[in-house]
Amino acid sequence: MKLFVKLILLNIIIPVLLVSLVVVVLQKRSIASTEQMIQEELIFQLDYVAAKIEDQLTEKQQYLQDQARLNSTKDLYYSAVDSNSEADWLGIPAYQRWKKEFASGEILEEDVKQTYVGYKGFSPAVGPSWLPIPSDYNSNSRPWFKSTIEKNGFTITSPYTFAAMNDQRMGVSMGYPVYKQGVLEGRAADIIGVAGIDLDLMNIEAVCKSIESNLHVVVGLYDKEGPILYDGDYESMIAAGVITPEPGDMMTFVDFIWGSDETQPREEIQGLFDLMSTQKGTFLTEFDGNTIVVAHMPIAEGQWVLNISQPLGWRGSAMIKEALVGNLLIGVVLAIILLASTIILRVTVIRNIIRSSDALEGIAEGDADLTAALFVHSADEIGKLGDSFNKFIKRLRELVVTIKSVITDTGSVSSQIAAATDQTTSSIEETNAVMNSISEEVNNLDRSIEYTVASIEQINSNVMSMDSQITNQAAMVQESTAAITEMIASLENVANITRAKQQATAELKKIADEGKSQIEDTLDIFRKVVTNIGAIQEMADSINAIASQTNLLSMNAAIEAAHAGDAGKGFAVVAEEIRKLAETASQSSANITNMINA
């Protein structure tokens, strides 16, 4: 393959393929980026639409608030009667005054069908013009009244049609609390009634249609329970005759979507509506064969659900086409740059290579003409290659000249070689002498080897001797084993003797147990002896006491005998004998005590 073809392949074809791949990747990213951009823009527009609709609701809330704050509205509560008859109310002066003040703002609200107020504990709802209500009507049980009391604030009811007024327009009711005198907005316990209106959604529909026209989107407005308040696609189908709703019928979001595409499960559609009614966001969906971008959010404090939608292709196709044109333009510019660089390389590099190749071919076919040269005039590597080749040819010519001079000098070299040959002969003789000397050295080495072999044989003999010693040691090990066996037998005899000693010890223990029993019997006898010795001790103590008393008595007798003089001498002798007897008894008692202690 020629270099130019390779250059085209590497610099044009492969890069163009890579650029095409990059363009495809960029286009996919552009599509994803476009979808993200459209969703973000739709979210921004959604906030604008929500603000417009909230403005309408805020206006009606302010109107209701103004009516609820009228002094005449609060005063009427204290004069109200629980009657559904207009005649009973006309007789109340507070009602007449309230009708004038209450009705003054209604004429400015073209979408307000009627304004009214209901009070706690009173069944009728009264307005500037008497309302056509049935006799069993109870305002306190109506959704607009109950939800307002429970929330203690502004409320919106679910939609309904004004069928009672021969008008199939859709509307809702709104309520605002009426607080007792001296309270503007307070606790639920301060509420005395509810001011309400029936609102036609005509203005809100007009806002939605205006937004659809200006922003080129489809607006959808739904009650949180699902009924459609307004839907641009639904209105278009009604106008085209695709859908013909029954009078008083209220289509729901789920029924409308499912009716348009029955392949979608109703559970999935309901889940989608639940998502829209609880959070703000966007999603892509298929509707009527188109990919639709939908932005959604709850509004009116969660009572309504708003979404706006737009076909992805309506705005995305232009943006995607614009991105594709930009990406293709980038690819074309890159291809042009690569082509230009290829041409420049062809002119500046490949042309010089071709010239060099032609020059080399001429040199090769010119019978090795060393006077030829390459004429490449460029400052790049090709030019350097030509200069280097020319220097090589010049050096080669110089070498050829040198070789010629060397050949000329070969004759003189031959004579020098002959002289050198003679010198070589003498060197050979010296070499033979050296070889003889080497032979003698080899003989000496041979004798050394024989001595080494003898030494090895002596070592082998020593090894054999060591083997016999090992055999003797094995015999000694066997004798040790026999001795150990005898020792084990002796140990068994010792064990037998130990067992015999153990039996003798057991018999000795039995004899010791019998001796212990006899010693215990002897101990009982000694305890009895000790008891008897105690009794004897008591007897000795008694004798000693008697001796003491007798000695005392003899002393008294001696004293009395001394007092009696001669008449008492005989009595004195008796007293002396009694004293001796007492001493003898006392001495005997002491001896008995000492013996008992011993």
Side-chain angles (χ1 to χ4, degrees), residues 111-132:
D111 53 349
V112 175
K113 305 293 290 186
Q114 54 193 10
T115 309
Y116 44 85
V117 65
Y119 294 106
K120 275 187 176 181
F122 298 93
S123 58
V126 292
S129 58
W130 193 255
L131 305 178

Side-chain angles (χ1 to χ4, degrees), residues 40-59:
E40 291 176 356
E41 184 176 349
L42 212 59
I43 283 287
F44 177 77
Q45 293 174 343
L46 178 69
D47 292 333
Y48 171 76
V49 176
K52 285 290 186 182
I53 296 175
E54 292 282 4
D55 286 344
Q56 292 288 319
L57 299 178
T58 301
E59 180 186 339

Side-chain angles (χ1 to χ4, degrees), residues 224-493:
K224 66 178 181 180
E225 301 299 331
I228 297 175
L229 302 176
Y230 176 82
D231 189 296
D233 290 329
Y234 181 59
E235 295 291 333
S236 299
M237 289 184 177
I238 292 177
V242 178
I243 297 177
T244 305
E246 295 294 330
D249 184 26
M250 285 188 295
M251 179 70 73
T252 65
F253 173 84
V254 176
D255 292 336
F256 171 55
I257 300 299
W258 185 76
S260 302
D261 183 8
E262 294 185 358
T263 61
Q264 299 187 48
R266 290 179 64 90
E267 295 78 7
E268 292 185 5
I269 301 173
Q270 183 63 53
L272 182 62
F273 182 77
D274 294 339
L275 174 69
M276 293 192 301
S277 62
T278 55
Q279 57 184 276
K280 181 180 181 180
T282 61
F283 61 86
L284 297 177
T285 186
E286 297 293 327
F287 182 78
D288 197 19
N290 295 317
T291 300
I292 306 296
V293 185
V294 181
H296 56 85
M297 66 182 296
I299 63 172
E301 298 183 1
Q303 182 64 36
W304 290 353
V305 180
L306 172 67
N307 70 33
I308 59 173
S309 58
Q310 191 178 66
L312 180 63
W314 183 82
R315 183 175 302 176
S317 59
M319 297 176 67
I320 293 172
K321 182 178 179 181
E322 181 180 354
L324 178 60
V325 171
N327 293 331
L328 289 176
L329 182 61
I330 293 173
V332 170
V333 171
L334 289 175
I336 292 173
I337 293 173
L338 291 172
L339 180 61
S341 65
T342 302
I343 294 173
I344 293 172
L345 286 173
R346 173 69 175 83
V347 173
T348 59
V349 178
I350 298 180
R351 185 175 63 182
N352 290 331
I353 294 175
I354 293 174
R355 288 179 179 177
S356 301
S357 177
D358 293 340
L360 290 172
E361 186 176 358
I363 292 171
E365 294 177 355
D367 195 16
D369 184 8
L370 298 180
T371 62
L374 294 178
F375 298 99
V376 180
H377 303 288
S378 62
D380 55 10
E381 288 78 359
I382 303 299
K384 292 181 179 180
L385 177 63
D387 293 340
S388 298
F389 182 79
N390 292 332
K391 291 178 181 179
F392 170 73
I393 292 296
K394 182 180 178 181
R395 180 62 179 161
L396 186 61
R397 285 199 302 269
E398 293 175 354
L399 289 174
V400 170
V401 173
T402 302
I403 291 171
K404 286 182 178 180
S405 62
V406 169
I407 292 172
T408 302
D409 296 336
T410 302
S412 61
V413 172
S414 297
S415 60
Q416 294 177 359
I417 291 174
T421 301
D422 294 336
Q423 294 179 358
T424 302
T425 302
S426 61
S427 296
I428 291 171
E429 291 176 353
E430 293 178 358
T431 301
N432 289 330
V434 171
M435 290 298 295
N436 292 329
S437 176
I438 290 172
S439 177
E440 291 179 0
E441 292 294 332
V442 168
N443 292 330
N444 292 332
L445 180 62
D446 189 17
R447 287 192 295 271
S448 297
I449 290 172
E450 290 177 355
Y451 177 75
T452 301
V453 168
S455 298
I456 291 172
E457 290 177 352
Q458 181 63 36
I459 291 170
N460 187 25
S461 175
N462 293 335
V463 168
M464 293 178 65
S465 174
M466 185 179 295
D467 188 19
S468 63
Q469 291 178 4
I470 291 171
T471 303
N472 294 333
Q473 288 181 357
M476 292 174 66
V477 168
Q478 290 179 354
E479 292 177 358
S480 298
T481 302
I484 291 170
T485 303
E486 292 177 359
M487 186 182 296
I488 291 173
S490 298
L491 289 174
E492 289 180 353
N493 292 331

Side-chain angles (χ1 to χ4, degrees), residues 158-185:
S158 294
Y160 56 88
T161 56
F162 297 120
M165 305 180 69
N166 297 320
D167 188 356
Q168 296 304 317
R169 295 286 306 162
M170 182 175 290
V172 295
S173 294
M174 299 180 176
Y176 193 87
V178 178
Y179 298 94
K180 64 185 179 180
Q181 286 288 4
V183 177
L184 292 179
E185 280 75 27

Side-chain angles (χ1 to χ4, degrees), residues 1-15 342 345-346 350:
M1 184 181 294
K2 292 186 176 182
L3 184 61
F4 183 63
V5 176
K6 292 182 179 180
L7 188 63
I8 292 176
L9 180 63
L10 294 176
N11 278 18
I12 296 180
I13 297 177
I14 294 178
T342 302
L345 286 173
R346 173 69 175 83
I350 298 180

